[in-house]
Amino acid sequence: MSEIKYKKLTTKLDKGLNLCLFETIFNWRQVNGLKHDDYTRYRRFCSRRIKRIRQKVQLINKWEKKQFKQLKLVAEHMKTSECLMIPLLKVERCWAYANELQPVDETEARKGHHQKRRLHKMKQYCEEFIGLMKGCNKRTQREITAYNLYMKGMVAFEDHQYEDALKYYFKSITIIGYIDAEMSEESKIIFRDIVDDANAKIRVCKK
């Protein structure tokens, strides 16, 4: 398989919840530390933002009879685009934490194990996110799908499951090709970063 470059194709969008996912991520990352690779700051931002949005849209976890009861998000909870930011922020928080835990050398094996746990938690959140996009318009669904496939590819790559990583990366880049023409310049910056990173990892997988 050869490297894929995204192509442009315009499509007519249907009605539904709209979230400019890649543009939103770009803005979050630029303003909250990732200009300087400060993953700790970005992770903390994600945690604070999740809490604020949950309170605003009344999707909060509660204590009942001295027991913590976590509210499991379902598609019916996704009534506004702001609600969609909750599962997105959960994935981003795990991604930031995994990068924060990147081992410097082989002496930090424990740190590496912790990083892998966060990556697998991120994959779990990706699956949950996919299950919450039923009420979104087609462009938003494509963005969510492309984003989640890319994140799953990252997990597979770190686990040295190169065949799965290739599959996820190729699918993600293909979907990005369909939505690239409709995106803002900010979104396209994220797209280019994803495509460049995916192509670099594809070369490693094929060795």
Side-chain angles (χ1 to χ4, degrees):
M1 290 187 288
S2 59
E3 294 177 16
I4 293 179
K5 293 184 179 179
Y6 46 79
K7 57 185 177 180
K8 294 185 177 181
L9 179 66
T10 56
T11 56
K12 187 176 181 180
L13 301 177
D14 61 343
K15 293 181 180 179
L17 289 178
N18 179 62
L19 175 64
C20 297
L21 184 144
F22 287 102
E23 185 174 347
T24 299
I25 290 172
F26 175 82
N27 291 329
W28 284 345
R29 293 181 181 182
Q30 287 293 299
V31 175
N32 296 285
L34 291 197
K35 256 187 180 180
H36 309 289
D37 295 330
D38 189 346
Y39 291 101
T40 302
R41 179 182 165 190
Y42 185 60
R43 173 174 61 84
R44 289 171 178 168
F45 156 76
C46 291
S47 294
R48 292 194 304 271
R49 191 66 183 269
I50 289 169
K51 185 177 180 180
R52 285 200 301 269
I53 294 174
R54 278 186 176 276
Q55 289 174 339
K56 183 177 179 180
V57 299
Q58 294 298 300
L59 294 174
I60 55 177
N61 301 314
K62 296 180 180 179
W63 286 89
E64 290 185 3
K65 297 180 180 179
K66 297 184 179 180
Q67 286 189 332
F68 180 72
K69 190 173 182 180
Q70 188 171 25
L71 176 67
K72 182 175 175 59
L73 295 175
V74 295
E76 287 70 26
H77 288 141
M78 301 295 108
K79 296 178 180 178
T80 67
S81 57
E82 201 165 23
C83 295
L84 281 171
M85 290 183 183
I86 298 173
L88 173 59
L89 283 160
K90 288 167 74 175
V91 177
E92 284 288 289
R93 180 174 61 183
C94 271
W95 171 80
Y97 202 1
N99 279 282
E100 185 183 339
L101 293 167
Q102 184 69 41
V104 177
D105 53 45
E106 293 180 358
T107 62
E108 296 186 320
R110 189 172 180 180
K111 201 174 182 180
H113 290 312
H114 192 186
Q115 181 196 40
K116 284 197 172 184
R117 284 198 297 271
R118 299 320 302 173
L119 285 170
H120 283 279
K121 188 70 173 177
M122 181 181 77
K123 186 177 179 180
Q124 180 185 327
Y125 286 146
C126 284
E127 296 288 353
E128 291 177 8
F129 196 8
I130 289 290
L132 297 172
M133 67 178 189
K134 183 172 66 174
C136 301
N137 62 35
K138 287 184 179 178
R139 182 197 53 75
T140 300
Q141 288 187 15
R142 284 172 177 163
E143 283 200 58
I144 292 172
T145 303
Y147 171 78
N148 280 280
L149 285 167
Y150 172 73
M151 289 301 198
K152 288 179 182 178
M154 186 189 305
V155 177
F157 182 84
E158 292 297 330
D159 284 342
H160 305 292
Q161 297 173 353
Y162 294 137
E163 190 173 333
D164 288 340
L166 280 171
K167 178 182 69 176
Y168 289 132
Y169 283 138
F170 272 98
K171 284 183 178 179
S172 177
I173 295 172
T174 301
I175 294 170
I176 286 173
Y178 282 96
I179 55 180
D180 172 69
E182 303 159 2
M183 299 296 100
S184 66
E185 288 304 313
E186 289 82 1
S187 297
K188 289 179 182 180
I189 292 172
I190 293 285
F191 284 172
R192 285 193 289 270
D193 288 345
I194 287 176
V195 172
D196 290 345
D197 181 62
N199 277 329
K201 287 176 177 173
I202 284 169
R203 287 193 291 271
V204 174
C205 292
K206 290 166 65 179
K207 285 183 180 179

